[in-house]
Amino acid sequence: MDQAILDELSKTYPHSVRLTEVKVRDRGEVKKLDAGELPLHVGDRVLLEVDGEVTYGVVYAEPYRTPFIPPMRVLKPILRKANQEDAALISRLERLSHEATSYCRTKAAEFKLRLKLVEVFGALQRRQLTFVYTADDRIDFRELVRDLARRFGGRIEMRQVGVREEARRLGGIDTCGLVLCCASFLTEVKPVTVKQARGLGLQVEDPRLLGVCGRLKCCLMFEMMDAQGNVPQSAQKLITPARPAPPSLSS
């Protein structure tokens, strides 16, 4: 990279960053976050912002310092370490979430509602329970919401997500043996369409091209970028000499 560009970037970005790894609401895969100068240890509860709302996470790695090398993106910071009052509220919300998950599944079965509950979590700053679910068809859950409101009080939000978002929230290991891209490092999921995959000469009917969500794998995006010549020369190589490249999916 040109030295003038590096000098300009150094005025905008730090020379190094102190990172840690956190599981949002202690679920799914760990996310790398900016730890700032907070004194964090494994197991600590912290407050952070996710999807525009304040929630909590659990620290899974001691903070470590690493050079900031463009095009590394600026990571979201941890807002602060949870104090005793926060920790008590988080423990109560975790118990409430477990209870609400079990109760909602039972009631959904009673009302014959075909939905799959992905996650239930409580808000830190107001009395609200959010029920995240997937469903193949439109569901009339008004009776279920009334029942949940009577049982738990406060505001009840039913939030439908797609199968890709379900995979991102829950995490997992794909057929490549690595953690799902959407759950580990992708900040914005822009899936490759069937038309784009066919344009790459890929057989979209090949089950090896499907992720755990049942949709075309997000990593096909990198194959498309490579085919279009959009991968910069400075991009870090994922395959090292000690780890030979796997056979192509299109072979």
Side-chain angles (χ1 to χ4, degrees):
M1 185 177 291
D2 187 85
Q3 186 60 44
I5 297 177
L6 289 175
D7 292 340
E8 186 62 30
L9 287 172
S10 67
K11 301 175 184 177
T12 308
Y13 299 110
H15 292 290
S16 66
V17 286
R18 186 167 174 265
L19 304 180
T20 188
E21 298 176 3
V22 174
K23 282 190 179 183
V24 178
R25 294 186 288 272
D26 205 16
R27 293 173 61 89
E29 305 296 339
V30 295
K31 313 290 185 184
K32 287 184 172 61
L33 297 177
D34 186 349
E37 298 305 321
L38 294 172
L40 301 175
H41 300 285
V42 174
D44 284 347
R45 263 58 176 172
V46 293
L47 302 189
L48 52 140
E49 183 181 324
V50 177
D51 298 329
E53 57 188 351
V54 177
T55 188
Y56 69 93
V58 179
V59 176
Y60 270 77
E62 296 287 334
Y64 56 94
R65 192 165 291 278
T66 184
F68 187 95
I69 304 175
M72 179 188 289
R73 60 188 176 83
V74 176
L75 299 176
K76 280 190 173 183
I78 292 173
L79 300 179
R80 61 180 171 86
K81 186 176 177 178
N83 56 34
Q84 287 186 339
E85 184 178 349
D86 296 327
L89 175 58
I90 290 169
S91 295
R92 186 178 72 81
L93 289 178
E94 287 178 335
R95 292 193 299 270
L96 182 62
S97 296
H98 287 304
E99 180 184 348
T101 298
S102 177
Y103 185 84
C104 182
R105 284 174 175 157
T106 299
K107 286 298 177 181
E110 288 182 12
F111 296 143
K112 294 181 171 54
L113 301 179
R114 301 185 63 180
L115 60 84
K116 180 181 178 182
L117 205 56
V118 177
E119 181 186 8
V120 178
F121 62 91
L124 288 173
Q125 299 175 314
R126 59 189 180 278
R127 292 190 64 194
Q128 175 177 308
L129 273 177
T130 300
F131 294 77
V132 183
Y133 71 96
T134 61
D136 294 330
D137 304 307
R138 186 177 179 135
I139 294 177
D140 181 358
F141 44 67
R142 288 174 293 181
E143 189 174 2
L144 174 62
V145 169
R146 285 194 292 267
D147 194 290
L148 293 172
R150 284 194 299 268
R151 176 67 179 80
F152 298 104
R155 184 172 182 269
I156 302 296
E157 178 185 356
M158 302 296 293
R159 185 180 301 177
Q160 184 173 3
V161 298
V163 289
R164 288 187 185 274
E165 175 65 14
E166 177 188 7
R168 185 182 75 84
R169 286 174 177 267
L170 298 181
I173 305 296
D174 212 329
T175 51
C176 60
L178 300 176
V179 174
L180 301 179
C181 298
C182 61
S184 54
F185 69 90
L186 286 183
T187 57
E188 187 178 2
V189 177
K190 292 183 178 179
V192 172
T193 65
V194 170
K195 181 178 179 180
Q196 290 171 327
R198 284 181 173 148
L200 293 173
L202 300 176
Q203 299 295 324
V204 294
E205 297 82 8
D206 189 338
R208 293 178 298 173
L209 298 183
L210 302 181
V212 297
C213 61
R215 302 291 190 266
L216 286 173
K217 291 183 176 182
C218 295
C219 59
L220 293 176
M221 169 182 61
F222 304 116
E223 288 203 24
M224 186 175 70
M225 291 172 61
D226 188 35
Q228 295 172 345
N230 292 333
V231 178
Q233 294 295 322
S234 58
Q236 181 182 3
K237 293 185 177 181
L238 299 178
I239 305 299
T240 66
R243 295 174 57 196
S248 172
L249 288 173
S250 58
S251 60

